[in-house]
């Protein structure tokens, strides 16, 4: 987005605190699923399903980090014009 583009409030990103809270929540859910995969692999015992659960538990952190660090990129494709042709509110003439 160019520096002179105007952003509507509906396309504004969430606050840094809300974004961090959401990232932590996503990561916690992913790690909970990883723990369930490990526990299920122990309970299932030997076999193909056990190895699938272990593979899921091993590779899930990679995807968890990528998902947790996904950036909020809200955009409805609409930006208001900026520059000399853009309408502008003025305070008006000051009475002397």
């Amino acid at each position: 987005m160019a520096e002179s583009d105007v952003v509507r409030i509906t396309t504004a990103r969430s606050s840094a605190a809300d974004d961090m809270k959401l990232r932590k929540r996503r990561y916690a859910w992913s790690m909970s699923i990883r723990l369930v995969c490990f526990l299920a692999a122990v309970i299932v015992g030997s076999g193909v399903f056990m190895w699938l659960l272990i593979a899921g538990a091993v590779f899930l952190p990679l995807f968890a980090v990528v998902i947790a660090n996904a950036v909020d990129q809200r955009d409805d494709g609409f930006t208001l014009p900026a520059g000399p042709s853009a309408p502008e509110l003025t305070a008006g003439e000051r009475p002397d």
Side-chain angles (χ1 to χ4, degrees), residues 1-7 82:
M1 182 179 317
E3 188 173 299
S4 63
D5 288 345
V6 179
V7 178

Side-chain angles (χ1 to χ4, degrees), residues 1-14 72-83 86:
M1 182 179 317
E3 188 173 299
S4 63
D5 288 345
V6 179
V7 178
R8 293 186 333 171
I9 191 65
T10 57
T11 60
R13 293 184 179 168
S14 56
D72 180 14
Q73 295 185 356
R74 266 185 263 175
D75 185 14
D76 64 358
F78 179 80
T79 55
L80 297 173

Side-chain angles (χ1 to χ4, degrees), residues 15-74:
S15 70
D18 289 341
D19 187 46
M20 185 58 71
K21 188 178 0 176
L22 182 63
R23 288 180 190 209
K24 286 179 182 179
R25 187 176 300 140
R26 284 184 200 157
Y27 189 77
W29 273 107
S30 298
M31 291 299 102
S32 299
I33 293 170
R34 180 181 189 215
L35 179 63
V36 169
C37 285
F38 271 128
L39 293 175
V42 170
I43 292 171
V44 167
S46 62
V48 175
F49 192 59
M50 177 194 74
W51 289 109
L52 289 173
L53 289 168
I54 290 174
V58 168
F59 291 109
L60 189 61
L62 171 70
F63 298 115
V65 168
V66 171
I67 291 170
N69 288 329
V71 178
D72 180 14
Q73 295 185 356
R74 266 185 263 175

Side-chain angles (χ1 to χ4, degrees), residues 89-95:
L89 293 177
T90 60
E93 297 280 328
R94 291 181 67 185

